[in-house]
Amino acid sequence: QVQPVESGGGLVRPGGSLSLSCTASGYSFSDSAVGWFRQAPGKEREFVAAIRWSMGSTKYADSVKDRITVSRDRANNRVILQMNSLRPEDTGVYYCATGRPIWSTIATIGGYSRWGQGTQVTVSS
C-alpha cells in the first residue's frame, strides 16, 4: 500500500492543543500537495488545511484560521497539523490526503488521489 499515514489523534479538552502528523508510506511528498480534511458523523468531509510540499504555500479553511498551522518536516517526509484553541465542533475523523491539484482545487476532495485511514480527534471536557 502506498498512502499517507496519520497519527496524533486523541481526546483533548476544549481550548487545548493537539498535533497531528502525516507521513508518506512508500513514497515521497515531492511535487505533491498535502491536504487535511475532517468528517464528523452525519456530515460531509470538509477541508481543513493544505500545503504544497515543494513551494510551502498553505491554505486554510475559514473555520480554523488563526487556530491551526500546517507545516513541513522535510527531514522526515512529514506534514504537521498543529491545532490550538480546539472546540467541540473540531471533533471528527481527520484525514491526510496527497495529490497534485491545481491551486483552484487544493481545497477540494477531488484534488487528491491518495487518502489515509484517518485519525480520530475528540474535543470534549
Side-chain angles (χ1 to χ4, degrees), residues 6 23 47:
E6 309 94 339
T23 303
F47 172 75

Side-chain angles (χ1 to χ4, degrees), residues 25-60:
S25 178
Y27 68 104
S28 173
F29 286 139
S30 181
D31 297 326
S32 297
V34 181
W36 285 95
F37 296 78
R38 67 187 181 190
Q39 187 169 22
K43 299 186 68 177
E44 295 183 1
R45 192 168 300 186
E46 65 177 357
F47 172 75
V48 177
I51 185 169
R52 293 191 66 85
W53 186 259
S54 295
M55 298 180 181
S57 54
T58 58
K59 188 171 185 177
Y60 300 94

Side-chain angles (χ1 to χ4, degrees), residues 10-92:
L11 175 65
V12 62
R13 75 188 197 288
S17 299
L18 199 65
S19 180
L20 305 181
S21 294
C22 176
T23 303
S25 178
Y27 68 104
S28 173
F29 286 139
S30 181
D31 297 326
S32 297
V34 181
W36 285 95
F37 296 78
R38 67 187 181 190
Q39 187 169 22
K43 299 186 68 177
E44 295 183 1
R45 192 168 300 186
E46 65 177 357
F47 172 75
V48 177
I51 185 169
R52 293 191 66 85
W53 186 259
S54 295
M55 298 180 181
S57 54
T58 58
K59 188 171 185 177
Y60 300 94
D62 289 340
S63 61
V64 302
K65 279 186 175 180
D66 301 319
R67 298 192 296 119
I68 65 98
T69 301
V70 63
S71 61
R72 298 170 294 173
D73 178 0
R74 296 183 181 87
N76 297 113
N77 197 221
R78 180 179 301 167
V79 169
I80 301 168
L81 187 72
Q82 178 65 47
M83 303 187 292
N84 304 311
S85 301
L86 286 166
R87 308 164 181 170
E89 52 263 43
D90 293 318
T91 294

